[in-house]
Amino acid sequence: MRIILRMISLFRTTCTLRRFVFTATFAVSAITFLIVIGSVSMIFLSQTEDASARRSYAMARRIHESISQAMEEGRTRQEMAGMLGMYQRSFPEHFSIELHVGRELERLANSSAQKDQGIRRAFSEGSAIHDQTISQIQHHYPFKAEAKCLSCHPAARVGEVLGVLSISEDISGARDAFLRKFFLVFTLLSPLPFLMSFLVARFANKRIGTAVEVLDSKVRSVNNVSDLTTLQLEDQNLGFRELDDIFAEFGNLVSRIKDVAVGKEMLEFEIRVLERFIITSEAIRDWKERVGFLLSEVNKVMPAYTIFCIFQIEEENFDIEVFWSTPPATATENTMEDIIRHRVSQEKLPLFASSAIKVVHNIVDPHGPVLELDRHNIELQTKSLLLDMPQIGGVVGIGVQSQVAVDPIRSLVINGILTTLLNVVGSIKAIYKYTKDLEYYATRDPLTNLFNQRVFWELLGYETGRAARHGYCFGLLVIDMDNFKYVNDTYGHIVGDKFLGQVANTIHNCLRLGDILARYGGDEFVVVLPEADEEQIYMVGNRIKEALEEMVVTTADETKIRGTASIGMAVYPTHAQTSKDLFLFADNMTYKAKGMGKNCIIVPTNDDVVEVFQKSSEMSRVLLQALEEKRVIPYFQPIVTTDDQRIVCHEVLCRVEVGDEVIPAAEFIEIAEKLSIVSRLDAILMEKVFEKAREVGYDGYLFINLSPKSLIVKEFVPTIIRLARTYRIKHEKVVFEITERETVKNMTLLESFVVDLKLEGFKFAIDDFGSGFSSFQYIRRLPIDFVKIEGMFVRNMLNDSKDMAFVKTLAVLAKEFGIQTIAEYIESEELLSAACSLGIDFAQGYHTGRPTSELVLPKNTPNS
C-alpha cells in the first residue's frame, strides 16, 4: 500500500515520460496481481466453507436419522452416547460431534463462546446455524419434537426443540497448508509485475519516445522568429493513430505560426530598413552622399548592391544616378546600365526620340571588393518603381538590386520600401536644392545677383574693423536712382526689373577689383571702396554717375530709357568711426544730392558733418525725453488668413510721440540701440500693448518686435513674464518677432533667450525670413512657430520668376518643418491670391490693413 501511495504522489508531480510509463505500468501490474491473488484466495476459502457445510450437513442428516431411529427403538441415553462416539471415531480427527439437550440451556445462557451462542440460537430459532471462525467451521442442527416423540417426552410439544447437534470442523491445518502454498506461489510470481511493466514501458517508450524526441528536437531548433520560417515537419509514422494525428495537427499549427512569424519578421525587416531613411540636417549637405549613406545603412539590414534613382531634369532630359556599394566590374556596370535603360523605355515615362538619358555611376566604398554579377542575377534581383509624373525633387523612379528581392515575400516588402525610398530621395534632393537656393539668396539679391543688404552690413562691418586695425581709409557710396518710380509705373515691372539689372551691370563695370557692390533695397545701391581716399572715392563715384547717364535700356517697342543717379559719399574715419554712422552720413549726402537737383555726387564738407551729427544728437535728446515721459505709442497692423481674409492677429509697431508728430521706429531705432535704451523702450511698449489688449478684451495673437540689444539684459525675460501675468495675457497668444538681419551674431544668447520664454508658453516668429545667411539654421536650431517671408521677394514675385521661386521655396521649407508662414508687403489682391496659391497661411500689408492705434477686431473675426 505504501508503494502504491508513493506512485500516486509521483503522478501529482512532474516526471519524465519514460518514468511515468514504467511507474504506471508497474502500478497497474501490481494491483492486478494483488487482485488476482486475493480473488483466488477468497474463492478458495469460500469453496472450503461450502464443502465443509455440505459434509457437515450430510453427517448431521445421518446422525439425526440414526438418533431418531434409536429413540424409536427405545434406546437409552448411554446407548445413544455410544452411538455418537462411534460416529466421532468414524469421522476424521478434525471433526467433533456433540449433542446438547434442553436442560443445558441454563448453562449456555451464561457463556460468551461463539459456539455456545450458536447453540442457543439453534434452540431459540429452531433452524440450522452455521458459524465460521479463523480456525473452525461450526454447524448447529436442532432436533424438533414430533408426534412420535411425545411417548418418551410427554412434557414436550410438537415442533419444540429437544436438542441441538453441533458438528465442528477444524480448518486451521488446511488453512496453514493453503497459506504456505499461497506464499510460495506469490513469491514465485511477484517478479511478473516488474517484468510486465518493463516490457510494456519499453514498447510504449519506443513508440511514444520517438515522436517526443522528434517534436523536442523541432521545438528546440526554434530560437527566434526567423527559425520558424525554415522549420520543416516531415510525415511521421509513430505506430499510434492518435500520435500521428497530434503530430499532424502540430505541423498545421507550426504552418499557421510560420505565416504569422513571416509577417512579423517582414514587418521588423521593413522597420529596420525604414529606420535608416530618417532625414536629418546632415542629409541636405550633399544629397548624393546621403543616398550613398542610405545604401550603406540598408546593407546593415539586407544585402543590397545597388540603388539607382531616375530624375527628370527638363521636359525631355533624364538623369539616372546609380549608387554601387562597392566598385562594379566594367561588364556589371554596363549590364546594369542596359537593364535600367530598358526598364525606363518600357514604362510610361514621357520619353521622346530626342530624349537624353544621362547615367552617372557613384561608388560608396571605392576600396571594397570588385562586384561581379551576371545579367540573369541582376534582372532577377532588381526591383524598381517608376512613375508617370515626376515627384518632389524631380524623381520619377527608384530601384534596388539585392538578393533579398528573389524571396517573393520579402519582394513585396521591398516594393513598399521603394515607395518610401523614392519619396526620401526626392525629398533629400529637393531640400538640398532648396538649401542651396537659400544659401545663395541669403547672400544675393535674386534680381541683380548682387550682394543683398544683409551681406552688405556684414562686409561693411568687417571693412570698418580691418581699416581700424591697419590704419587706412576706405570709402562708401550710396547710389539712389532718380525717377525710377516713373520708369516702373510707365513701362511696368518687367521693364523696371530689366532697368535695375542694367544699372547693376553698369555700376559693376565701373568698379575696381576688390570693390564691394550690393543692392541695398528697391532702387538703392551701395559700394564699399577698400583702401581709398576721398579723391579716389570721388573719381569712382563720378565714373559711375557718367556711366549711368550713358546707359540706355530698350523696351520691346524700341523705346529707349535713360537713367541718372544721386550719389552720396562718406570716408572712414573722416566722417564716421562706426559702420552705421558711416552709412547714415553717406545716406544723408544722397538725400542732399537729390535736394540739389539729382544726377550729382556730393563731396561732404565740414558743415555737412556738423549738420548730420547735430541732427542725430537732437533725435537722441528727443528720444530720451519721450522715453522718460513714456510717450511710446503702440500701433497695430492686422494680419489675415490668405484663404478667407479673416483677421486673426496683429503686429505691434512702435511709435514715439514728439509734440504733434508721431515718429516711426525706422527713424529712431538705431539711435535707441546706440543709447542702450532699446530694452526700456521694448518694456514700455509691451506694457502699453498688454494694457490695451486687456482693455478691449483682445484674445488674438500679438506679434511684438524685439531688438537684439534687449537679449543681453538679464531682467528682460522676467519683465516680460511679469507684465503678461499682471495684465492676464495668455502666454501662447504672444509671438515675439526676431529680426534675422540682426541676431545671427548672438546665436548662443538667442537660443537661451528663446528657450526660456518658450518654456513659459510664448511663441516665436522670424521676421525678414530669407534676408540673411542663417535662415535654415534658425528654423533648425530654434523652436520657431511662424516665419514672415521677406517682403522684398513677396512684393516682386508676380513680376520676377526668381522671386517667385524663392518665396515658394521658403514656403515649402517652412511647411516641411511644421512652421506657419506669413507673407509681408501684400499690397494688392493679386499678391494676396498668389500667396494663397503658394500655400502661405497668413498675409500682411497695406492691402490687408494699415497700421492704426486702435486694436479692434471685426465681429465675425475669431479671437484666436
Side-chain angles (χ1 to χ4, degrees):
M1 182 61 69
R2 185 176 299 174
I3 295 175
I4 294 175
L5 292 176
R6 180 74 177 272
M7 292 178 180
I8 293 174
S9 65
L10 179 64
F11 294 155
R12 294 177 180 174
T13 60
T14 303
C15 62
T16 62
L17 181 61
R18 294 178 183 274
R19 186 177 180 185
F20 175 81
V21 171
F22 176 79
T23 304
T25 306
F26 175 74
V28 171
S29 301
I31 293 172
T32 303
F33 178 75
L34 293 176
I35 291 174
V36 170
I37 295 299
S39 299
V40 171
S41 300
M42 291 177 63
I43 293 172
F44 175 78
L45 292 175
S46 177
Q47 290 178 346
T48 300
E49 182 179 356
D50 292 342
S52 173
R54 288 194 300 272
R55 290 195 300 269
S56 298
Y57 181 74
M59 287 188 290
R61 292 292 302 168
R62 288 173 56 190
I63 294 172
H64 185 271
E65 290 174 358
S66 298
I67 292 176
S68 297
Q69 184 178 0
M71 291 177 67
E72 291 177 358
E73 293 175 356
R75 295 192 181 186
T76 62
R77 291 179 65 83
Q78 289 82 5
E79 289 176 340
M80 284 190 289
M83 185 184 301
L84 290 173
M86 181 186 66
Y87 277 112
Q88 178 70 56
R89 290 190 295 274
S90 64
F91 291 146
E93 294 181 355
H94 57 277
F95 281 94
S96 64
I97 303 172
E98 295 179 357
L99 179 63
H100 302 279
V101 294
R103 59 174 175 268
E104 295 182 20
L105 285 175
E106 216 177 285
R107 177 182 61 81
L108 296 173
N110 299 322
S111 174
S112 60
Q114 184 176 356
K115 178 179 178 182
D116 294 338
Q117 292 177 2
I119 295 172
R120 287 202 310 272
R121 288 175 57 199
F123 269 108
S124 62
E125 297 175 8
S127 60
I129 301 300
H130 305 281
D131 288 330
Q132 182 177 351
T133 64
I134 193 171
S135 59
Q136 282 187 340
I137 298 176
Q138 299 173 356
H139 308 280
H140 305 289
Y141 300 100
F143 285 100
K144 297 181 180 180
E146 299 177 0
K148 58 182 179 181
C149 298
L150 298 179
S151 59
C152 297
H153 302 280
R157 296 184 302 274
V158 176
E160 183 181 356
V161 178
L162 300 177
V164 174
L165 178 64
S166 297
I167 302 175
S168 300
E169 182 179 4
D170 186 1
I171 62 173
S172 58
R175 183 200 63 194
D176 294 342
F178 170 76
L179 289 176
R180 286 193 296 271
K181 292 179 181 179
F182 173 79
F183 284 114
L184 176 61
V185 172
F186 182 82
T187 304
L188 294 175
L189 298 180
S190 59
L192 284 178
F194 292 96
L195 181 61
M196 290 176 61
S197 61
F198 174 76
L199 294 176
V200 172
R202 183 176 180 182
F203 174 77
N205 285 330
K206 184 176 181 181
R207 291 292 185 90
I208 301 176
T210 301
V212 172
E213 287 176 359
V214 172
L215 186 60
D216 180 70
S217 64
K218 296 294 184 182
V219 172
R220 290 180 182 275
S221 66
V222 179
N223 296 313
N224 49 53
V225 175
S226 59
D227 291 339
L228 278 173
T229 61
T230 58
L231 182 63
Q232 298 294 331
L233 292 174
E234 302 82 6
D235 293 336
Q236 300 287 333
N237 184 10
L238 305 175
F240 296 102
R241 181 179 299 172
E242 291 79 2
L243 289 178
D244 291 342
D245 293 341
I246 291 174
F247 206 86
E249 286 301 319
F250 177 75
N252 295 334
L253 176 62
V254 169
S255 298
R256 292 193 293 270
I257 295 177
K258 186 186 299 185
D259 294 337
V260 176
V262 168
K264 180 182 179 184
E265 184 199 19
M266 290 298 99
L267 181 61
E268 292 176 346
F269 166 76
E270 186 172 9
I271 290 174
R272 290 199 304 272
V273 173
L274 295 180
E275 283 176 347
R276 313 293 177 175
F277 292 170
I278 298 175
I279 301 177
T280 64
S281 59
E282 302 297 325
I284 64 172
R285 293 184 178 178
D286 189 324
W287 78 272
K288 288 190 177 183
E289 288 185 4
R290 184 62 184 181
V291 176
F293 171 76
L294 288 179
L295 179 58
S296 300
E297 290 296 293
V298 169
N299 264 291
K300 296 178 181 178
V301 181
M302 68 176 189
Y305 305 126
T306 308
I307 289 179
F308 61 88
C309 313
I310 306 171
F311 300 96
Q312 185 172 350
I313 306 304
E314 298 174 357
E315 185 176 356
E316 298 183 7
N317 295 331
F318 293 85
D319 278 357
I320 300 176
E321 298 280 350
V322 184
F323 297 85
W324 297 90
S325 57
T326 57
T330 303
T332 302
E333 181 178 305
N334 294 335
T335 302
M336 174 61 78
E337 188 171 326
D338 290 341
I339 292 174
I340 296 175
R341 287 179 179 272
H342 177 72
R343 293 197 178 188
V344 169
S345 64
Q346 295 297 314
E347 295 295 331
K348 298 178 181 180
L349 295 178
L351 294 175
F352 306 94
S354 58
S355 296
I357 300 178
K358 177 184 177 182
V359 181
V360 179
H361 294 271
N362 308 274
I363 301 173
V364 177
D365 182 12
H367 305 292
V370 176
L371 187 63
E372 295 186 1
L373 300 171
D374 57 37
R375 189 179 191 88
H376 174 74
N377 286 333
I378 294 177
E379 290 180 340
L380 186 64
Q381 298 173 1
T382 300
K383 296 288 293 184
S384 59
L385 174 64
L386 301 178
L387 307 176
D388 296 341
M389 298 293 294
Q391 301 297 306
I392 184 171
V395 63
V396 294
I398 198 80
V400 63
Q401 198 274 335
S402 172
Q403 293 177 348
V404 177
V406 180
D407 186 342
I409 298 179
R410 291 180 179 243
S411 179
L412 294 175
V413 177
I414 291 177
N415 285 337
I417 292 174
L418 284 177
T419 302
T420 304
L421 184 59
L422 182 138
N423 292 325
V424 169
V425 172
S427 298
I428 290 174
K429 189 172 184 183
I431 294 176
Y432 173 77
K433 181 180 180 299
Y434 295 154
T435 305
K436 287 297 182 184
D437 289 345
L438 278 175
E439 290 176 355
Y440 181 82
Y441 291 117
T443 61
R444 297 284 179 171
D445 170 58
L447 177 62
T448 62
N449 287 326
L450 299 178
F451 288 126
N452 60 19
Q453 184 184 128
R454 177 69 187 87
V455 179
F456 161 72
W457 282 109
E458 289 285 333
L459 295 177
L460 180 60
Y462 171 77
E463 189 62 31
T464 301
R466 195 164 74 100
R469 288 193 303 273
H470 298 284
Y472 63 79
C473 300
F474 74 89
L476 175 65
L477 297 177
V478 177
I479 306 168
D480 193 289
M481 299 304 298
D482 299 327
N483 303 320
F484 173 72
K485 187 176 185 302
Y486 169 79
V487 174
N488 219 28
D489 294 343
T490 304
Y491 301 101
H493 290 291
I494 296 177
V495 175
D497 290 346
K498 182 179 180 181
F499 181 84
L500 289 177
Q502 187 65 38
V503 169
N505 293 332
T506 301
I507 297 175
H508 185 271
N509 293 333
C510 297
L511 300 180
R512 307 169 302 171
L513 183 64
D515 292 342
I516 300 169
L517 172 61
R519 182 186 178 193
Y520 192 80
D523 59 349
E524 193 172 14
F525 297 84
V526 287
V527 179
V528 178
L529 302 169
E531 300 186 31
D533 56 23
E534 185 173 308
E535 184 179 353
Q536 291 172 316
I537 297 169
Y538 176 80
M539 289 176 59
V540 174
N542 193 59
R543 188 162 59 242
I544 293 173
K545 183 182 74 71
E546 293 175 353
L548 291 175
E549 291 174 354
E550 297 176 0
M551 182 191 75
V552 178
V553 176
T554 304
T555 64
D557 59 357
E558 300 299 326
T559 301
K560 298 185 182 299
I561 303 173
R562 297 181 180 274
T564 60
S566 299
I567 303 175
M569 60 175 281
V571 181
Y572 176 89
T574 305
H575 299 138
Q577 281 74 44
T578 66
S579 57
K580 289 187 177 180
D581 287 344
L582 191 68
F583 177 80
L584 179 65
F585 187 85
D587 193 45
N588 273 273
M589 294 301 100
T590 303
Y591 284 114
K592 185 175 180 180
K594 283 187 175 292
M596 293 178 65
K598 304 181 181 180
N599 191 27
C600 63
I601 179 170
I602 297 297
V603 178
T605 65
N606 291 334
D607 292 337
D608 292 328
V609 176
V610 172
E611 181 184 351
V612 169
F613 287 101
Q614 278 183 345
K615 182 179 178 181
S616 176
S617 298
E618 178 64 18
M619 178 59 70
S620 299
R621 185 190 64 78
V622 170
L623 188 60
L624 287 172
Q625 184 177 355
L627 192 65
E628 187 68 28
E629 298 173 359
K630 292 189 176 181
R631 284 187 278 111
V632 178
I633 303 175
Y635 269 55
F636 306 93
Q637 183 174 21
I639 300 174
V640 304
T641 56
T642 56
D643 51 359
D644 54 7
Q645 300 181 30
R646 291 180 299 111
I647 300 176
V648 293
C649 40
H650 286 80
E651 179 179 357
V652 177
L653 304 174
C654 184
R655 300 287 188 267
V656 172
E657 185 180 13
V658 179
D660 296 332
E661 185 180 2
V662 177
I663 302 175
E667 296 186 16
F668 62 78
I669 191 64
E670 291 184 0
I671 297 176
E673 289 184 347
K674 183 184 294 185
L675 295 173
S676 299
I677 61 173
V678 70
S679 61
R680 292 173 54 197
L681 189 66
D682 287 340
I684 295 174
L685 177 68
M686 280 191 293
E687 183 173 10
K688 292 203 172 188
V689 168
F690 292 167
E691 183 180 11
K692 187 82 170 181
R694 186 178 68 172
E695 178 183 336
V696 301
Y698 181 80
D699 196 32
Y701 287 108
L702 289 170
F703 283 71
I704 301 176
N705 288 279
L706 289 181
S707 169
K709 299 291 185 181
S710 299
L711 306 183
I712 62 176
V713 179
K714 292 183 179 179
E715 295 79 12
F716 191 67
V717 171
T719 299
I720 294 173
I721 298 172
R722 177 181 57 80
L723 289 173
R725 290 176 179 173
T726 300
Y727 292 97
R728 299 180 181 178
I729 302 298
K730 296 179 181 178
H731 292 189
E732 65 272 15
K733 294 297 183 179
V734 180
V735 184
F736 292 110
E737 291 190 27
I738 305 169
T739 303
E740 188 196 6
R741 289 193 178 99
E742 302 292 344
T743 54
V744 69
K745 296 179 181 179
N746 301 299
M747 178 58 73
T748 302
L749 187 62
L750 177 63
E751 279 188 281
S752 176
F753 174 82
V754 170
V755 170
D756 288 344
L757 287 179
K758 194 70 177 178
L759 292 175
E760 293 290 335
F762 295 97
K763 295 183 182 295
F764 283 88
I766 297 178
D767 196 11
D768 303 325
F769 184 60
S771 63
F773 286 111
S774 42
S775 302
F776 184 75
Q777 288 295 324
Y778 279 4
I779 63 175
R780 187 177 72 87
R781 294 181 59 177
L782 301 178
I784 299 300
D785 303 285
F786 301 88
V787 292
K788 302 183 77 173
I789 300 175
E790 169 63 50
M792 180 177 62
F793 304 124
V794 176
R795 182 170 54 188
N796 200 39
M797 66 180 178
L798 295 179
N799 306 310
D800 191 296
S801 60
K802 292 183 178 180
D803 283 341
M804 174 65 78
F806 192 50
V807 173
K808 183 178 181 181
T809 297
L810 292 175
V812 172
L813 185 63
K815 186 176 182 180
E816 289 289 329
F817 280 86
I819 299 174
Q820 293 182 288
T821 49
I822 302 172
E824 296 183 302
Y825 288 17
I826 297 296
E827 299 174 353
S828 66
E829 184 65 28
E830 292 77 15
L831 282 175
L832 180 61
S833 299
C836 183
S837 65
L838 292 176
I840 297 175
D841 303 298
F842 305 101
Q844 178 183 3
Y846 284 173
H847 177 71
T848 60
R850 291 179 176 271
T852 175
S853 60
E854 297 299 322
L855 181 60
V856 180
L857 292 177
K859 293 182 179 179
N860 62 343
T861 301
N863 290 333
S864 59

